[in-house]
Amino acid sequence: MAGIRSVALPSPRRPDLPAREAGEGRHGVRTRLWYENVLGWPTVPGVPPRLVVGVCFDVLDVPAEAGRAALERLGAAAEGFPVAVQGDRMVLLIAPGGADEVPGLLEWLEWGGLGLDLRALGEGGLMDAPAPWTAGAWPDVSRGHPAAGRPGDGRPDSPQGAAVWLRPPEPGREARASLPTLSATATRSPRGVGDGPPDLVRLVGTVATQIHRVRLRRSGAGAAVRGVGQPLAFS
């Protein structure tokens, strides 16, 4: 009709993300939402996103070589709690408050003062959040539960050096009762009482022993290269 002009309507705009979240990217936001909505773990935006330590779990940060040896020593007892790796480091999740106990446990176990490469991280700490789902299989976080995919060792296209789950957390496994803690009673897993993770004393003692053995082995190898006598090694 004469006198009527067509008007171009503006395209709908998505709500702007906060500046600190805008740089995360789609996968970073999805990673954080999965931890917050599925596991109930607090996070901090960033690249990579971070998990807040000391609320739902504390952390033992150890050399990956020694950590793997410790898990092998513990056998089935080491299957009940989440473990991540990042480069040459391993992160073992323990119950909240456990980090405060570690220095005293090392002294009691006569590992204190030896300068072991073992760090305990508790309240106020942060750890890089491993991507919890494989590529192309991200969860539906809108309802607070996964709709597709499976927990795994992170995205195959994760940057080199990114944190990945060696044993990922799962609903039920992330509960505090499934994490190593100081306890006089048997630990509980989904399979029953006495079938859960090792107590914190056993875990710390095993990890400390393996860290020391790795150090002795490397020291002995270095001495052999220099042509000097090797120190005695523990079996």
Side-chain angles (χ1 to χ4, degrees), residues 33-112:
L33 291 179
W34 189 84
Y35 284 108
E36 291 179 356
N37 294 353
V38 177
L39 299 186
W41 290 1
T43 67
V44 173
V47 181
R50 304 282 187 88
L51 301 176
V52 178
V53 179
V55 178
C56 297
F57 61 87
D58 283 0
V59 158
L60 286 183
D61 181 341
V62 305
E65 181 181 358
R68 290 180 185 275
L71 294 181
E72 290 178 2
R73 283 279 180 176
L74 291 168
E79 297 177 359
F81 60 99
V83 177
V85 292
Q86 184 169 14
D88 62 353
R89 306 295 299 183
M90 177 178 287
V91 173
L92 302 100
L93 270 56
I94 61 177
D100 294 336
E101 306 291 344
V102 171
L105 286 177
L106 289 173
E107 291 290 340
W108 183 68
L109 294 167
E110 299 185 351
W111 288 112

Side-chain angles (χ1 to χ4, degrees), residues 14-29:
R14 294 189 308 169
D16 292 333
L17 290 173
R20 66 177 184 171
E21 296 184 8
E24 283 186 281
R26 182 170 55 124
H27 297 311
V29 172

Side-chain angles (χ1 to χ4, degrees), residues 157-184:
D157 57 348
S158 295
Q160 184 176 3
V164 297
W165 287 114
L166 180 65
R167 183 166 56 245
E170 301 171 9
R173 176 177 282 176
E174 88 291 353
R176 297 185 185 189
S178 71
L179 302 177
T181 185
L182 286 176
S183 175

Side-chain angles (χ1 to χ4, degrees), residues 139-213:
D140 176 7
V141 298
S142 61
R143 299 183 181 88
H145 62 81
R150 61 180 180 82
D153 289 340
R155 291 175 52 84
D157 57 348
S158 295
Q160 184 176 3
V164 297
W165 287 114
L166 180 65
R167 183 166 56 245
E170 301 171 9
R173 176 177 282 176
E174 88 291 353
R176 297 185 185 189
S178 71
L179 302 177
T181 185
L182 286 176
S183 175
T185 59
T187 53
R188 177 185 294 273
S189 77
R191 296 185 293 268
V193 176
D195 200 19
D199 63 77
L200 190 59
V201 176
R202 184 182 178 194
L203 177 62
V204 170
T206 304
V207 170
T209 299
Q210 297 307 319
I211 291 174
H212 186 57
R213 286 176 172 168

